[in-house]
Amino acid sequence: MLECVEKNNKKVTNVRSIDIHNHIIFGLDDGAKTEDETIQMLKQAADDGIEKIILTPHYVESKYENTKDVIEKKKEAIDQLIEEHHIPIEVYYGCEIYMSDDVLDKVNEGELMTMNGTKYVLVETKRSRHFSKISFDDALYNFRVDGYYPIVAHPERYQMVYENPNRVYDWIEDGCYIQVNATSLLDPKKPSFKVAKKLLDHHLVHFVATDAHDPKYRPAVLSDAYQFVKKRYGADYAELLFYTNPLKLINGEQISTNGAKPVKKKRFFFFF
């Protein structure tokens, strides 16, 4: 049961959750800009019931060159902040990798981070048609051939999924996993809400994460989305997406894709 109490004018929930996608590390990408913002977001996450966080700064070639060495050094600073400010949260290594021609080689060479050193890899592409169907699908396939489990970040934001949600079903059938943003479940007026709901309806989601970038507009909060999923789909599904699957990811365990159903064939267009 989700309960909220007030503590020092902050909302504190008794829901436990794990966040696998965020930009809380200060000074690495378009997320937290300062050490103070990082501290605010870590405290915000802890107050919201988030027990563990995989830190996933962007890797975008020639823009955000957040290689393993860079992230390891920054994580040391995050660990120190957590200790100094007595924040009850655990953090792990990760990265959100923007798909390009040579990123798989960099992962294989140990230059880029997987999720907590496991075979799970968080990947993204542009919202618009940067990849053709064949090239993006081939990129995912190549990761699978090399033994990795791609987690496609926020597909509800991608034009290719707006136009055909069964792209997500196909990715799952090919051995990939799907992460939806918590904020996509909170505004029914946005196209991303309609797509995310469609994916949830067909059990095409394995994780819900914050994709947090700042304390105010893109916060480190999961409890509201948890409540939405619990109310509409039941407590078991909410627990699976917000805790059970993320914990298996951290531990490098196999995550089930049972129950995935294709979306009924029909035109499915949104404008954004």
Side-chain angles (χ1 to χ4, degrees), residues 64-82:
Y64 300 124
E65 296 277 354
N66 291 317
T67 58
K68 182 178 180 181
D69 291 343
V70 172
I71 296 171
E72 284 178 341
K73 186 174 181 179
K74 276 287 190 177
K75 183 181 175 294
E76 292 176 5
I78 302 299
D79 287 333
Q80 186 173 346
L81 290 176
I82 288 172

Side-chain angles (χ1 to χ4, degrees), residues 182-196:
T183 50
S184 296
L185 303 178
L186 303 180
D187 188 350
K189 295 179 181 179
K190 290 187 176 181
S192 59
F193 173 87
K194 296 176 183 179
V195 180

Side-chain angles (χ1 to χ4, degrees), residues 168-184:
V168 172
Y169 177 80
D170 292 341
W171 294 335
I172 293 171
E173 286 291 288
D174 288 340
C176 298
Y177 294 89
I178 303 301
Q179 175 261 307
V180 161
N181 284 358
T183 50
S184 296

Side-chain angles (χ1 to χ4, degrees), residues 125-130 154-165 167 171 195 268-272:
T125 187
K126 273 191 176 180
R127 293 176 65 177
S128 59
R129 293 178 176 276
H130 181 71
H154 44 60
E156 74 276 11
R157 297 169 56 189
Y158 299 156
Q159 184 179 346
M160 68 180 90
V161 177
Y162 288 173
E163 296 175 353
N164 180 13
R167 293 291 297 278
W171 294 335
V195 180
F268 195 77
F269 288 103
F270 292 105
F271 297 95
F272 62 100

Side-chain angles (χ1 to χ4, degrees), residues 83-181:
E83 184 176 354
E84 289 176 356
H85 293 270
H86 308 289
I87 304 171
I89 208 160
E90 297 178 54
V91 294
Y92 303 84
Y93 298 113
C95 187
E96 182 182 15
I97 300 172
Y98 182 86
M99 285 293 206
S100 59
D101 291 341
D102 63 348
V103 290
L104 178 55
D105 289 339
K106 291 180 183 293
V107 172
N108 282 329
E109 293 164 4
E111 186 176 346
L112 297 184
M113 283 283 189
T114 64
M115 303 292 273
N116 193 36
T118 69
K119 288 293 186 178
Y120 290 100
V121 184
L122 184 67
V123 299
E124 67 167 340
T125 187
K126 273 191 176 180
R127 293 176 65 177
S128 59
R129 293 178 176 276
H130 181 71
F131 277 92
S132 68
K133 182 182 189 303
I134 293 175
S135 59
F136 184 58
D137 289 357
D138 279 354
L140 294 173
Y141 175 78
N142 289 338
F143 267 88
R144 289 292 297 118
V145 167
D146 281 11
Y148 298 100
Y149 300 100
I151 302 168
V152 180
H154 44 60
E156 74 276 11
R157 297 169 56 189
Y158 299 156
Q159 184 179 346
M160 68 180 90
V161 177
Y162 288 173
E163 296 175 353
N164 180 13
N166 275 320
R167 293 291 297 278
V168 172
Y169 177 80
D170 292 341
W171 294 335
I172 293 171
E173 286 291 288
D174 288 340
C176 298
Y177 294 89
I178 303 301
Q179 175 261 307
V180 161
N181 284 358

